[in-house]
Each structure stands twice: as C-alpha cells, then as structure tokens.
Amino acid sequence: MLRVTTASLCTSCQRMRLLLPPSAFSSTASPPNRRVENQQTVASLYELSVDIRKVRKFKGWVLSEGSAYVSETADLLRDMGADPPAVARILETHPEAVLCRPEDVAAQRDLWVSVCPNRRELMSIIEKFPASFFTLTNHSNQRANILYLQSLRLSNRIIGKLMASAPHTFSRPVEHNKEVIHTLRETYLDLGGDEDNVRVWLQKLLSQNPSILLRPAEGWRDSLGFLREQGFTTEELLCLVSSLRASIAELQPEAMRHALAYIEEVLACSEDELKETVIRCPAILHFTLPTLVGRFQGLMDVGVSTEQVKETPNVLELTTQIVLYRIQKLASYGYDVCSGSLDVIIGTKKDFEMSYVKLHLRQQRPLFNPVAPLRSAED
C-alpha cells in the first residue's frame, strides 16, 4: 500500500512539474557559475510556445541578458505574416533575435522587403535563414550593395539568395563587391564571352556559390594565370570557367600543379590528352593529391584499367565507396564493369539508377526474332 501511494505521489509531482512554466524551476539545481536568467525573458518566450529547454541548451546566454525585446520581435514577425508556430520556430532557432532593438529590426525588414516584397516568400526565407535576417550591421552598406546589384540588372531572387546565404557580403563596403564583380566580368569577356551574356553568367555564378563575393579578386587572376601557363587556350579556359564557375577562385596553383602531374603520370598521357582530361573532368583541379591517389588506386584495386579511366575520367569524381557499391549493383544484373564501359557508373545517383534499371529491363526482356513463325493461342 505504501509503495502504491508513493508511486502515485511521484506521478502527480511529475505531472505538476510538466505543467509549470520553466521559470518556476529554472533556478533550482543550477551550477554555481551559471548566470542568473532573466525571468521576464523566459516567461515571454514560454508564452510564445518556444521550447525553453532547447534555448537553454544551445543558446542559454541569451536568457541571461538584461535587455530583451521578446514581444516586440514577435509582433514584428507577425506583422510580416508569420503565424504563431513560425514565430516559435524562428525564436528557438535564433533566440538572439530578441536582443535586437525593434527599430533596427524594422530597418532590416524594410531592406529585405525592397528585394522580396512578397510576404510569404520573405517569411519562408527568414525561417530558413533567421541569423541572416537578424544580422543588423551596417545598414548603409547593405543598402548600397543592394542598389549596386540591382543596377547590374541582377534579379531580386538572386539578390535575396545572396542576402540569405552570404549576409556578410552586404555588410562590407560596396567597393569590395564592385572590384570582384569587375574582375569576374573582365575575366569572362577576356576569355571570349559575349557581352550580352555577362548578366546571365554572373547570375549563375552567384546563385551557385553566393560566397564568391567574399573571395579576393586575386584568386581568379592567380588560378587563370596558372592554367594559361599550362597551355590552356582562351577557349579552353572559358570552358573551364563555365564548368567550375565560382569555385575556380578557390583553386591553389601549387595544388593544381601536383594534381596535373599525377594524372599525367598515371594515365601516361600527352599534354593535349591531359588538357582534354581536365576539360572533361574539371573536378581534378579541386582534389588534393591524397584524394586523387586514393580514388585512382581504388579503381585499380577493383580491376578497372588505366585505359578505362582515361576514356571516362569523370569516374574520379566519385568516392571509392560509391564506385564499389555501383559496381556490385551492376554485377548483380550480370554486367561486368571492368570489361565494359565506365559510363554506366558515373553521374548522379539518379543517373545511375536509370542506368541499372535499363540494364535490368534489358535482362528481363526476351529477344524478339523477326523471322520466327508466330504461334497462335491454339498452338
């Protein structure tokens, strides 16, 4: 009887504890060095259905700040079209938002609305990138960068993506971004690109790698200068730039030198063959020497020939684990990659799935003999 009563009391206590707001027991059992939490902030977040335990675990310092604008931030988000669950998610993910002054957040909202006037789309971006929206630094620089990119006739969709994915590119002086954009434009034109296509090309670069504007302009010049020294023609360089896009600024001449020397040696190719290999598989320029060695050796270990790699260099884009899995998958359908083409294993996961499905169907489909006599149902 005593055990049953004790168990009932414990259950009741647990239920009461779940019903109490976090402020009712936040100060108990706290470490001696832990800062005292602002109970008004905790209570306000609790009223918005924010998971206080999650905030306390990952951004607990926010709860200890003396000044917070929880209700003001929530009101502003609601005015922008956020429903209560969205407000709670945003403040759970980025609780630092409640420390921003309302007038600063309102100014930030006006900047973002100038690029994305659609409320639903804007709230979708803020939910995905709350830290970017609440990066309230250098409003004048942000506005100047927005106006500059709009003057280039870049779409607001691309500018909005840049603001969300790389907010620091907008916080720095517009002169830095002008220099990088100028270098990109001159590079494209110097390599034979068409003036009419510059805007489209820039949009592709920026959409695929929003942080490109953070790369120093010298990175482009150094990478292209090295590749020119290796004998790549202007037309070939334009092809490489179009394939590598923004990532070409991240390439290091010394690392590229090692990669090219290794590929030239293991594939026993001439200078022209080496350039063709790189154009067909530009990712070679990205890989470190240990990565290239590991992937090439992995192919050799499973019986792939050097000539096969030479014919299909894109196979080096795949990790050894992916190559092994795909070879085994095809072997289960009776296809021997080592005696056939490597084309069936390269590409994306979707490309490969289509390849082995075709092989499977081909294996199941009976061969039709056009000269064989037709059998009737009575036969």
Side-chain angles (χ1 to χ4, degrees):
M1 181 65 181
L2 181 59
R3 291 180 180 175
V4 173
T5 304
T6 304
S8 300
L9 286 171
C10 291
T11 303
S12 299
C13 291
Q14 290 174 356
R15 288 175 180 170
M16 289 178 64
R17 184 177 178 84
L18 288 174
L19 293 172
L20 288 172
S23 58
F25 51 86
S26 61
S27 60
T28 61
S30 60
N33 295 330
R34 185 171 178 175
R35 295 174 60 188
V36 178
E37 293 181 350
N38 184 330
Q39 295 306 316
Q40 184 176 352
T41 301
V42 174
S44 298
L45 290 172
Y46 182 77
E47 289 175 4
L48 294 171
S49 300
V50 174
D51 188 341
I52 303 297
R53 290 173 298 181
K54 182 177 179 181
V55 175
R56 187 175 285 129
K57 180 179 179 180
F58 297 104
K59 303 282 183 69
W61 62 271
V62 173
L63 302 177
S64 302
E65 293 297 311
S67 299
Y69 307 93
V70 180
S71 60
E72 293 88 343
T73 304
D75 288 343
L76 188 140
L77 290 172
R78 281 192 286 263
D79 290 344
M80 294 171 66
D83 56 18
V87 171
R89 286 193 298 269
I90 291 171
L91 297 184
E92 283 175 12
T93 306
H94 191 72
E96 302 97 310
V98 303
L99 305 180
C100 301
R101 295 188 305 172
E103 56 268 29
D104 292 334
V105 180
Q108 188 78 336
R109 174 202 57 200
D110 295 341
L111 279 176
W112 284 57
V113 167
S114 69
V115 174
C116 185
N118 186 296
R119 283 190 171 189
R120 181 175 297 180
E121 292 179 7
L122 180 57
M123 280 313 306
S124 175
I125 295 173
I126 294 174
E127 273 202 72
K128 293 178 182 177
F129 305 94
S132 298
F133 178 75
F134 289 100
T135 301
L136 310 179
T137 56
N138 298 312
H139 278 107
S140 58
N141 285 348
Q142 291 187 58
R143 186 177 300 279
N145 279 297
I146 290 173
L147 292 174
Y148 168 64
L149 293 176
Q150 288 177 334
S151 72
L152 297 176
R153 296 187 299 117
L154 299 181
S155 70
N156 280 335
R157 182 181 63 83
I158 297 298
I159 298 175
K161 184 174 182 179
L162 282 171
M163 294 173 68
S165 304
H168 296 298
T169 59
F170 288 81
S171 299
R172 65 182 191 167
V174 68
E175 288 74 22
H176 291 281
N177 291 332
K178 284 184 176 181
E179 182 185 2
V180 176
I181 292 291
H182 175 75
T183 301
L184 296 177
R185 183 178 179 280
E186 291 301 310
T187 298
Y188 180 72
L189 295 177
D190 288 345
L191 295 177
D194 189 354
E195 177 76 45
D196 296 334
N197 294 329
V198 171
R199 184 178 65 85
V200 175
W201 186 71
L202 279 175
Q203 288 199 149
K204 287 183 179 179
L205 286 178
L206 295 172
S207 64
Q208 293 181 358
N209 189 347
S211 62
I212 183 176
L213 294 177
L214 295 174
R215 311 292 183 206
E218 293 76 17
W220 280 82
R221 301 190 188 102
D222 293 344
S223 298
L224 292 174
F226 170 79
L227 292 172
R228 283 185 189 277
E229 292 175 0
Q230 306 308 305
F232 286 92
T233 65
T234 300
E235 189 175 330
E236 291 168 339
L237 286 175
L238 180 60
C239 180
L240 282 176
V241 169
S242 299
S243 299
L244 292 169
R245 297 186 172 90
S247 57
I248 197 168
E250 302 170 3
L251 301 178
Q252 299 296 325
E254 193 61 25
M256 287 192 286
R257 181 177 288 106
H258 290 307
L260 292 175
Y262 176 75
I263 292 298
E264 184 177 17
E265 179 183 354
V266 295
L267 296 184
C269 52
S270 64
E271 289 186 7
D272 289 339
E273 289 174 331
L274 177 63
K275 289 193 294 182
E276 183 181 351
T277 299
V278 172
I279 291 172
R280 293 175 62 190
C281 183
I284 288 174
L285 299 173
H286 271 289
F287 298 139
T288 63
L289 186 57
T291 299
L292 272 179
V293 172
R295 293 188 178 186
F296 182 80
Q297 192 57 50
L299 291 169
M300 298 297 102
D301 291 342
V302 296
V304 174
S305 68
T306 300
E307 197 60 34
Q308 284 179 297
V309 178
K310 198 171 182 178
E311 292 174 358
T312 315
N314 305 64
V315 71
L316 293 170
E317 295 176 354
L318 305 174
T319 65
T320 303
Q321 291 80 1
I322 292 177
V323 169
L324 289 175
Y325 167 78
R326 294 184 178 183
I327 288 178
Q328 292 170 359
K329 189 80 173 179
L330 292 172
S332 67
Y333 294 143
Y335 184 86
D336 183 11
V337 172
C338 297
S339 60
S341 172
L342 297 181
D343 288 336
V344 291
I345 67 172
I346 62 174
T348 63
K349 180 181 179 181
K350 185 177 180 180
D351 295 333
F352 173 69
E353 288 175 350
M354 291 178 63
S355 296
Y356 78 70
V357 165
K358 288 179 182 178
L359 287 172
H360 184 53
L361 291 175
R362 188 186 304 167
Q363 190 180 45
Q364 290 181 327
R365 188 185 299 122
L367 294 175
F368 174 68
N369 187 347
V371 298
L374 298 175
R375 294 187 178 184
S376 66
E378 297 178 356
D379 295 341

